[in-house]
């Protein structure tokens, strides 16, 4: 354990000019809107179905309901990942990713159930076999073949996102596989209007459903394609310098203009695209490791894959395109006077920025930083300067669990006896994050005062 050493304070970055507070969506309100939309989708079926008789009719209508919910869930999944600024700032990219993953499992299940129930219901009503009825549907009904291709694409994307598969895929491969979701969305849309009983004779339903898809498609186009291009021309970002922080860890300083307009906050991240021959084709998420200044930003990256490892070789002057900022683990999430920051490994990156940016009086701010080895500690001198200048407490815990007799982060209440009176910001590897969350809940820290990101997409 290392405590802060007194040293002359030195600012890491000049604060940007004040700007208006960005819009933030409340997670509860977002879930309420999603639930209301699902009820409205079921309402379409209810309004178009005066009665249900017989097994075939029950199966067919169950297929209609699952189809409507799948179509609605599909567009919600895409909207969650459209990088809408109010969602990203209010809900947070980490929570959105969890919602997206959980919702994806439901949507894939609904798509499969829809196909099976419709086929079975039609087969029962027509007194034919299920396989024969499936062939008839594929060959005779408009756009069913396209919808089947869409379903297979969606199932494939779902399989690639399963935790076991995700661990075996490079981030870049997983990233590009997800683009097939847009193709599946386009193929499924025409099927819904061609054979969906709720839309064939209901003009209002067709208009509302089309508007939903068009709005989400426009959001994708604007925020994922147009906005990065606009930002590139407006801010003219270039790499100023690249320097090593620790073994396999580098900081990249990027310069630009009008950076206050980005309204980036400590704790947030951008998606970065470095325009070199090997890196231009993919954008990767990296957190800010210091508050944004008037003309420069800094990210700090650990070599965990091909893209992150290649950043050590990026040359000064390289042009950069960004998307963001994203993330809700910001000073605005704070609710209490006292704040505890907990970082593990490269999770120190956003925590380092928060350590400088969070307003706090003497003794109100505590940082606990866990690293396996002394050589893995990043920003030691910066953290010690900041701690001394701000009257903050700093503990840097190094060593293996065997050397320390267990995980010291499971004893946080010994380091911070009044931990239940703190807001807690947490960032690190999944295993560490889960262990600390268990410790915080055992110490009766309310979930609303725990702000964390897992670094896993």
């Amino acid at each position: 354990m290392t405590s802060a050493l007194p040293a002359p304070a030195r600012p890491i970055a000049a604060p940007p000019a004040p700007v208006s507070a960005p819009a933030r969506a409340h997670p509860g309100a977002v879930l309420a809107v999603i639930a209301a939309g699902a009820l409205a989708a079921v309402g379409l079926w209810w309004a178009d179905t005066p009665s249900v008789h017989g097994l075939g009719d029950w199966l067919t209508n169950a297929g209609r309901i699952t189809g409507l919910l799948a179509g609605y869930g599909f567009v919600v999944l895409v909207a969650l990942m459209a990088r809408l600024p109010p969602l990203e700032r209010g809900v947070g990219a980490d929570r959105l990713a969890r919602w997206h993953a959980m919702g994806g499992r439901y949507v894939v299940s609904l798509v499969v159930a829809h196909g099976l129930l419709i086929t079975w219901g039609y087969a029962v009503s027509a007194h034919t076999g299920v396989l024969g009825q499936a062939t008839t549907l594929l060959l005779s009904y408009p756009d069913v073949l396209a919808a089947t291709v869409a379903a297979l694409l969606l199932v494939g994307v779902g399989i690639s996102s399963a935790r076991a598969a995700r661990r075996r895929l490079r981030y870049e491969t997983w990233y590009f596989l997800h683009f097939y979701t847009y193709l599946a969305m386009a193929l499924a849309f025409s099927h819904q209007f061609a054979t969906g009983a709720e839309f064939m004779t209901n003009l209002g339903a067709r208009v509302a459903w089309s508007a939903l898809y068009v709005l989400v498609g426009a959001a994708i186009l604007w925020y994922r394609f147009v906005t990065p291009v606009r930002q590139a021309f407006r801010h003219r970002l270039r790499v100023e310098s690249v320097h090593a922080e620790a073994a396999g860890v580098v900081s990249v300083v990027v310069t630009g203009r009008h950076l206050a307009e980005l309204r980036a906050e400590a704790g947030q991240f951008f998606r970065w695209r470095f325009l070199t021959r090997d890196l231009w084709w993919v954008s990767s998420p990296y957190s800010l490791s210091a508050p944004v200044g008037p003309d420069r930003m800094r990210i700090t990256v650990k070599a965990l894959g091909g893209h992150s490892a290649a950043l050590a070789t990026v040359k000064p002057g390289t042009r950069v395109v960004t998307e963001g900022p994203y993330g809700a683990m910001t000073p605005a999430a704070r609710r209490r006077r006292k704040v505890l920051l907990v970082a593990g490994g490269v999770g120190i990156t956003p925590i380092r920025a928060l350590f400088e940016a969070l307003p706090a009086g003497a003794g109100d701010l505590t940082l606990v930083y866990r690293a396996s080895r002394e050589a893995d500690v990043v920003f030691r001198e910066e953290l010690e300067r900041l701690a001394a200048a701000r009257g903050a407490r700093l503990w840097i815990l190094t060593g293996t669990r065997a050397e320390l007799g267990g995980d010291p982060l499971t004893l946080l209440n010994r380091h911070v006896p009044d931990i239940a009176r703190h807001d807690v910001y947490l960032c690190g590897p999944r295993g560490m994050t889960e262990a600390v969350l268990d410790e915080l809940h055992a110490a009766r820290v309310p979930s609303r005062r725990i702000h964390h990101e897992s670094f896993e997409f």
Side-chain angles (χ1 to χ4, degrees):
M1 177 164 56
T2 303
S3 347
L5 301 176
R10 186 179 68 185
I12 305 302
V19 294
S20 58
R24 302 175 193 273
H26 190 278
V30 174
L31 290 176
V33 170
I34 293 173
L39 289 174
V42 175
L44 285 177
W45 166 82
W46 182 271
D48 190 67
T49 309
S51 61
V52 179
H53 303 287
L55 177 60
D57 210 11
W58 278 104
L59 290 170
T60 300
N61 278 279
R64 289 171 58 193
I65 294 171
T66 53
L68 282 167
L69 290 175
Y72 171 71
F74 202 171
V75 78
V76 168
L77 288 182
V78 175
L80 291 177
M81 292 290 102
R83 299 174 190 168
L84 304 175
L87 290 183
E88 294 285 345
R89 290 181 181 272
V91 179
D94 189 43
R95 184 182 293 175
L96 287 172
R98 292 197 299 271
W99 287 1
H100 179 80
M102 180 178 65
R105 291 189 285 271
Y106 285 122
V107 170
V108 170
S109 299
L110 287 168
V111 167
V112 173
H114 167 67
L116 294 176
L117 288 167
I118 285 287
T119 304
W120 189 9
Y122 280 20
V124 170
S125 298
H127 305 289
T128 61
V130 172
L131 291 179
Q133 186 62 49
T135 302
T136 301
L137 288 172
L138 284 171
L139 300 179
S140 304
Y141 281 68
D143 294 315
V144 170
L145 182 58
T148 303
V149 173
L152 292 174
L153 287 173
L154 191 61
V155 170
V157 171
I159 292 172
S160 72
S161 298
R163 186 174 298 181
R166 178 72 183 87
R167 285 196 292 262
R168 290 171 171 79
L169 290 174
R170 296 173 63 222
Y171 170 81
E172 294 82 1
T173 303
W174 172 84
Y175 177 84
F176 279 106
L177 282 175
H178 268 62
F179 279 107
Y180 284 109
T181 303
Y182 301 136
L183 176 58
M185 185 176 178
L187 291 172
F189 180 76
S190 60
H191 161 68
Q192 295 172 69
F193 279 2
T195 59
E198 294 76 16
F199 303 111
M200 296 177 70
T201 58
N202 188 334
L203 179 61
R206 291 171 68 93
V207 170
W209 203 259
S210 298
L212 179 64
Y213 273 73
V214 168
L215 285 173
V216 171
I220 289 286
L221 179 64
W222 182 260
Y223 289 110
R224 300 196 68 164
F225 298 97
V226 175
T227 296
V229 174
R230 289 176 65 247
Q231 288 185 345
F233 282 102
R234 177 64 174 165
H235 301 297
R236 307 284 181 87
L237 299 178
R238 290 180 180 271
V239 173
E240 179 183 77
S241 62
V242 179
H243 58 274
E245 298 282 3
V249 180
V250 298
S251 283
V252 182
V253 178
V254 175
T255 60
R257 58 182 193 170
H258 313 300
L259 299 188
E261 295 175 4
L262 293 170
R263 300 194 290 187
E265 300 175 78
Q268 292 189 306
F269 69 93
F270 286 78
R271 293 182 179 271
W272 302 83
R273 190 184 302 271
F274 294 85
L275 303 186
T276 69
R277 184 178 63 181
D278 298 326
L279 300 178
W280 68 268
W281 51 278
V282 66
S283 64
S284 291
Y286 301 123
S287 295
L288 297 168
S289 59
V292 174
D295 60 355
R296 57 179 33 80
M297 299 188 287
R298 186 182 74 178
I299 59 173
T300 302
V301 181
K302 184 173 183 178
L304 298 174
H307 189 278
S308 54
L311 292 186
T313 65
V314 171
K315 304 298 182 185
T318 299
R319 290 186 179 274
V320 183
V321 177
T322 61
E323 301 171 53
Y326 304 125
M329 195 178 71
T330 68
R334 177 183 182 179
R335 291 177 170 83
R336 301 300 293 265
R337 180 174 62 86
K338 293 189 174 184
V339 177
L340 170 64
L341 306 173
V342 183
V346 76
I348 189 61
T349 302
I351 296 297
R352 152 65 185 86
L354 286 164
F355 195 47
E356 179 177 354
L358 278 166
D364 290 344
L365 188 60
T366 301
L367 169 57
V368 178
Y369 175 17
R370 177 80 170 94
S372 297
R373 303 176 303 163
E374 185 67 26
D376 295 331
V377 174
V378 182
F379 306 133
R380 177 184 287 277
E381 293 184 2
E382 290 184 15
L383 295 173
E384 290 174 345
R385 282 198 302 270
L386 287 168
R390 310 199 66 199
R393 292 180 292 178
L394 170 66
W395 281 284
I396 301 177
L397 309 173
T398 60
T400 64
R401 294 187 181 186
E403 292 170 343
L404 298 172
D407 186 352
L409 291 181
T410 61
L411 302 173
L412 279 175
N413 56 342
R414 294 188 183 180
H415 295 297
V416 189
D418 58 345
I419 192 170
R421 298 170 56 193
H422 286 66
D423 261 284
V424 182
Y425 289 79
L426 167 65
C427 192
R430 179 188 293 273
M432 186 214 84
T433 300
E434 292 175 350
V436 173
L437 286 174
D438 289 342
E439 178 76 6
L440 294 174
H441 291 145
R444 299 179 183 270
V445 180
S447 296
R448 67 181 180 278
R449 289 199 270 113
I450 302 173
H451 321 287
H452 67 95
E453 288 187 342
S454 69
F455 269 130
E456 298 194 18
F457 287 82

